[in-house]
Amino acid sequence: MIHQRTSKAIAVLSVTLMLALSSSYSAANTNTIPTDHLAWSQLPATVQKYYQTSSTLNKLKLSNKNIVAIRSWSDATGSNYLVQLQRFDDAATFDSPAGEVISHLYNVDQATRRVWQIYDYLPCDLDVIARYAKETAVVTDINNNGVAEVSVPYYIGCRGDVSYDEMKIIMYEGKQKFAIRGNSAICDSKTGLPVDNTGYYGGDYKIDEQLLQRAALSASQKTVFKEHLKSLWRDNQCSIYFKYDD
């Protein structure tokens, strides 16, 4: 009996230690950059032009009514504005976008320019999922070079029952792209944790190694970026919660 209790204590200590190490990484190494949350009226007019239906810049015919979040911050590149949108089409056919997620980064240091775009969609004739995670974006400077990394976690799916979704986290530093992709996890509504870790209920992912290795980063920096993506995945992996009967 004493031996069993000791083993359990060691196991609990091990889990606690792993969680502590994980929390330590998140707190100490992400170097989160403070951002301002803005209203549409606070966007520079040169950025607003991208969402005016009469503008030739608005190729996707987006409206400011589609905007989910607007953030701004300053870094070594100047003043930046992140605009995130979501759009649904109830009349979509099987091969046209039923749900879309779109993120745009603008830099207005000298002249307004769109630095990058994230655009994803899927056709669906059931219940379409096309939404951002609770934190629509995470802005950091994990390699301390003065240029912000912007990480965007989101889910897309077509559900006819309780099932997990496709999940992606796209991260940019300047125009350099990084990504981690896989399936979101079905989580227990009581614990807030994945139902299991076998992959049957989702939760599996894969880092895009080609994008990572292509980046002009040292080996140690690539490791830090990889751990950052994994940490973001763990923080946002639950896209649906399942309530078990007592």
Side-chain angles (χ1 to χ4, degrees), residues 184-201:
S184 66
I186 297 177
C187 295
D188 189 328
S189 61
K190 289 184 178 179
T191 65
L193 299 172
V195 172
D196 71 8
N197 59 1
T198 65
Y200 184 79
Y201 294 94

Side-chain angles (χ1 to χ4, degrees), residues 14 16 50-51 78 118 161 169 176 178 189 199 209 233 237 244:
S14 297
T16 304
Y50 283 83
Y51 306 101
I118 297 171
D161 54 11
I169 302 177
Q176 176 63 59
F178 305 87
S189 61
E209 291 288 348
W233 188 278
Q237 63 184 321
Y244 287 94

Side-chain angles (χ1 to χ4, degrees), residues 6 19 29 63 75 78 128-129 131 146 155 175 183 189 200 225:
T6 304
L19 289 173
N29 295 292
S63 165
D75 63 10
V128 63
I129 305 299
R131 65 180 179 87
Y155 320 103
K175 290 190 176 183
N183 295 305
S189 61
Y200 184 79
F225 272 52

Side-chain angles (χ1 to χ4, degrees), residues 167-230:
M167 177 177 167
K168 302 179 185 181
I169 302 177
I170 306 300
M171 181 171 80
Y172 276 93
E173 184 189 55
K175 290 190 176 183
Q176 176 63 59
K177 181 180 179 181
F178 305 87
I180 180 170
R181 305 179 182 91
N183 295 305
S184 66
I186 297 177
C187 295
D188 189 328
S189 61
K190 289 184 178 179
T191 65
L193 299 172
V195 172
D196 71 8
N197 59 1
T198 65
Y200 184 79
Y201 294 94
D204 54 305
Y205 63 82
K206 187 175 182 180
I207 291 176
D208 192 322
E209 291 288 348
Q210 287 189 342
L211 289 174
L212 186 64
Q213 297 309 318
R214 201 180 300 159
L217 300 170
S218 67
S220 60
Q221 286 178 328
K222 288 176 182 177
T223 299
V224 170
F225 272 52
K226 185 181 292 189
E227 291 304 312
H228 177 57
L229 286 169
K230 290 180 181 178

Side-chain angles (χ1 to χ4, degrees), residues 94-110:
F94 185 73
D95 59 350
S96 63
E100 301 165 286
V101 288
I102 308 109
S103 291
H104 296 139
L105 180 69
Y106 300 92
N107 182 276
V108 295
D109 185 29
Q110 294 179 349

Side-chain angles (χ1 to χ4, degrees), residues 13-196:
L13 180 62
S14 297
V15 171
T16 304
L17 185 59
M18 285 191 294
L19 289 173
L21 288 172
S22 175
S23 299
S24 175
Y25 171 80
S26 298
N29 295 292
T30 54
N31 296 332
T32 303
I33 292 178
T35 63
D36 293 321
H37 292 261
L38 306 181
W40 165 256
S41 60
Q42 295 174 290
L43 267 179
T46 51
V47 175
Q48 289 185 7
K49 284 183 179 180
Y50 283 83
Y51 306 101
Q52 295 170 355
T53 54
S54 59
S55 173
T56 57
L57 298 171
N58 193 354
K59 295 179 181 179
L60 290 174
K61 303 302 179 186
L62 295 163
S63 165
N64 60 8
K65 294 180 181 179
N66 303 128
I67 292 175
V68 175
I70 302 172
R71 297 192 193 190
S72 69
W73 67 90
S74 296
D75 63 10
T77 67
S79 298
N80 299 280
Y81 292 86
L82 177 67
V83 181
Q84 296 184 270
L85 309 96
Q86 178 186 54
R87 184 166 61 180
F88 297 97
D89 183 1
D90 294 333
T93 62
F94 185 73
D95 59 350
S96 63
E100 301 165 286
V101 288
I102 308 109
S103 291
H104 296 139
L105 180 69
Y106 300 92
N107 182 276
V108 295
D109 185 29
Q110 294 179 349
T112 299
R113 62 188 180 92
R114 181 182 287 176
V115 182
W116 49 255
Q117 168 180 280
I118 297 171
Y119 175 74
D120 211 340
Y121 75 94
L122 79 166
C124 180
D125 56 356
L126 298 171
D127 295 327
V128 63
I129 305 299
R131 65 180 179 87
Y132 295 100
K134 185 177 180 180
E135 285 191 272
T136 57
V138 179
V139 184
T140 56
D141 184 12
I142 55 178
N143 57 353
N144 296 301
N145 66 348
V147 179
E149 306 96 20
V150 184
S151 303
V152 178
Y154 65 91
Y155 320 103
I156 56 173
C158 186
R159 297 183 193 162
D161 54 11
V162 178
S163 59
Y164 51 79
D165 306 303
E166 186 177 357
M167 177 177 167
K168 302 179 185 181
I169 302 177
I170 306 300
M171 181 171 80
Y172 276 93
E173 184 189 55
K175 290 190 176 183
Q176 176 63 59
K177 181 180 179 181
F178 305 87
I180 180 170
R181 305 179 182 91
N183 295 305
S184 66
I186 297 177
C187 295
D188 189 328
S189 61
K190 289 184 178 179
T191 65
L193 299 172
V195 172
D196 71 8

